[in-house]
Amino acid sequence: MNPLRSLILAAAGNDVIRRVVATAPVSRDVVRRFVAGETTADAIEVTRTLADAGLTVTLDYLGEDTTDAQLAEQTVRAYLEVLDALHAEGLAHSAEVSVKLSAVGQLLDEGLALSNASRICAAAEQCGTTVTLDMEDHTTTDSTLRVLDELRRTWPWVGAVLQAYLHRTEEDCVRLAGSGSRVRLCKGAYAEPASVAFQDMHDVDLSYVRCVNALLAGDGFPMFATHDPRLVPIAEARAEYHGRKPGSFEYQMLYGIRPEEQRRLAALGHTVRVYVPYGVQWYGYLMRRLAERPANTAFFLRALTSRT
Ligand code: FDA
């Protein structure tokens, strides 16, 4: 892995760095490039703007690796609140939610995460929308897929995320490519060892293409989550090869990244879903976005040093 990427991902777990970044006066402005804001109202406002521009949304209430049941409960309540707000504002047809199981208790007890995720799924169903389970580091993959299978017994529309950098993912794609199955395919954002993940970005890209094919060959609903200017047209070409029409798969991108490409794809008639994070716990998320692109780090450091 690129040494700068490893360094930034290591910083994501460092408490001293976390305090410095979180309290720097300029952080808030910089964070806003990637995060909608801290409140439900901020999330709704950004959702409306994106929906008005012809895009769809998946909302992520920021937080992860919770080892406190109270915090897990707060996260569940935040999701219930935002789902109510989406419904009340007439936005439930344009926006769903993305949930990290580690934010709702997975590290404490898988059963707690399942029961909390079930409450969110039940609320989403009532509001007329869906839920996708984000995928975290590889130590949680089996647990997350077990919870997914369980949730799908009641809510077959619950979406999964698979990460192309893991050696196992092509097989997971084949298993999850069945009818009604919603699968978001991304490259993967965590620092993973060579024993489980491809280390060379070219190998990750090749794996991504194999996974695109596996998902498109099935009867499910693939969600291609990438900003990669080479992979987007490859996904498009493979979709055409497999006889997929726009509407039988979608593209997904992160809030603040390649917004012009998001609008271009939507103008071609594709469903484009923007992943919109919000909430006060933006630190881990921000660090992963910085790690993806050295230019972001330069931008961030410039902003920090120019005002402090
Ligand atoms: P890559 O990183 O190679 O970037 C390709 C190009 O995209 C870059 O050259 C640049 O132009 C642009 N770009 C990418 N990232 C950028 C950034 N941060 N800032 C500016 N430009 C950037 N991961 C995970 O492990 N679990 C998950 O659940 C999810 N969920 C998820 C949802 C959605 C909707 C997306 C789009 C992504 C995720 N991810 C994720 C993150 C994913 O694994 C991956 O880390 C990022 O999407 C970056 O990978 P790309 O495919 O964009 O390629």
Side-chain angles (χ1 to χ4, degrees):
M1 178 186 290
N2 167 321
L4 180 61
R5 182 159 182 245
S6 309
L7 190 71
I8 298 169
L9 288 174
N14 182 301
D15 275 346
V16 176
I17 299 178
R18 179 192 299 258
R19 269 198 300 280
V20 170
V21 172
T23 53
V26 76
S27 289
R28 200 166 278 232
D29 297 346
V30 180
V31 172
R32 279 286 179 134
R33 181 180 156 188
F34 297 109
V35 175
E38 296 193 344
T39 65
T40 298
D42 294 331
I44 295 296
E45 191 186 322
V46 167
T47 299
R48 185 173 299 289
T49 305
L50 293 169
D52 287 348
L55 299 163
T56 59
V57 167
T58 185
L59 284 170
D60 165 36
Y61 179 70
L62 288 165
E64 55 201 278
D65 296 344
T66 303
T67 50
D68 174 344
Q70 286 290 101
L71 273 182
E73 178 60 28
Q74 272 175 30
T75 298
V76 175
R77 289 188 185 188
Y79 274 109
L80 302 185
E81 183 179 297
V82 85
L83 284 165
D84 270 354
L86 286 173
H87 182 64
E89 298 287 329
L91 288 167
H93 60 285
S94 306
E96 64 145 26
V97 294
S98 283
V99 176
K100 283 189 175 48
L101 289 181
S102 82
V104 296
Q106 188 179 35
L107 301 185
L108 293 166
D109 169 21
E110 190 177 302
L112 175 66
L114 172 61
S115 118
N116 282 337
S118 300
R119 291 162 63 199
I120 296 170
C121 290
E125 182 174 59
Q126 277 203 328
C127 296
T129 188
T130 53
V131 177
T132 297
L133 299 184
D134 281 350
M135 190 59 86
E136 304 178 65
D137 73 75
H138 80 279
T139 61
T140 65
T141 308
D142 283 326
S143 163
T144 300
L145 293 179
R146 269 196 304 273
V147 171
L148 174 85
D149 287 346
E150 207 47 53
L151 292 171
R152 278 196 169 148
R153 289 168 190 265
T154 311
W155 301 284
W157 42 255
V158 176
V161 177
L162 296 176
Q163 299 152 316
Y165 64 14
L166 294 183
H167 299 146
R168 60 179 285 168
T169 293
E170 191 179 351
E171 261 177 50
D172 286 333
C173 284
V174 171
R175 183 177 80 81
L176 288 174
S179 177
S181 176
R182 297 168 61 246
V183 177
R184 173 194 302 159
L185 179 65
C186 64
K187 289 190 186 179
Y190 297 80
E192 299 287 17
S195 53
V196 297
F198 299 108
Q199 304 294 302
D200 183 314
M201 282 315 288
H202 184 60
D203 290 334
V204 176
D205 291 353
L206 291 176
S207 168
Y208 195 99
V209 175
R210 289 193 299 274
C211 293
V212 163
N213 278 316
L215 291 174
L216 287 169
D219 302 320
F221 185 80
M223 307 182 279
F224 299 122
T226 181
H227 317 92
D228 192 320
R230 285 164 313 134
L231 289 179
V232 170
I234 288 175
E236 175 112 43
R238 297 315 298 161
E240 201 168 310
Y241 173 85
H242 284 279
R244 295 286 195 130
K245 302 266 177 294
S248 69
F249 68 98
E250 71 182 34
Y251 292 105
Q252 298 192 344
M253 295 193 189
L254 302 176
Y255 180 60
I257 300 182
R258 301 197 71 202
E260 63 304 322
E261 176 68 356
Q262 297 170 11
R263 286 193 296 273
R264 184 189 74 82
L265 289 166
L268 291 175
H270 290 295
T271 303
V272 179
R273 192 171 298 277
V274 184
Y275 184 102
V276 177
Y278 72 100
V280 291
Q281 291 191 60
W282 43 261
Y283 182 79
Y285 179 85
L286 178 73
M287 284 308 196
R288 285 196 291 280
R289 300 296 75 81
L290 296 184
E292 276 152 13
R293 226 183 160 210
N296 287 346
T297 316
F299 162 77
F300 184 67
L301 291 175
R302 246 194 335 271
L304 277 180
T305 50
S306 63
R307 292 225 223 144
T308 51

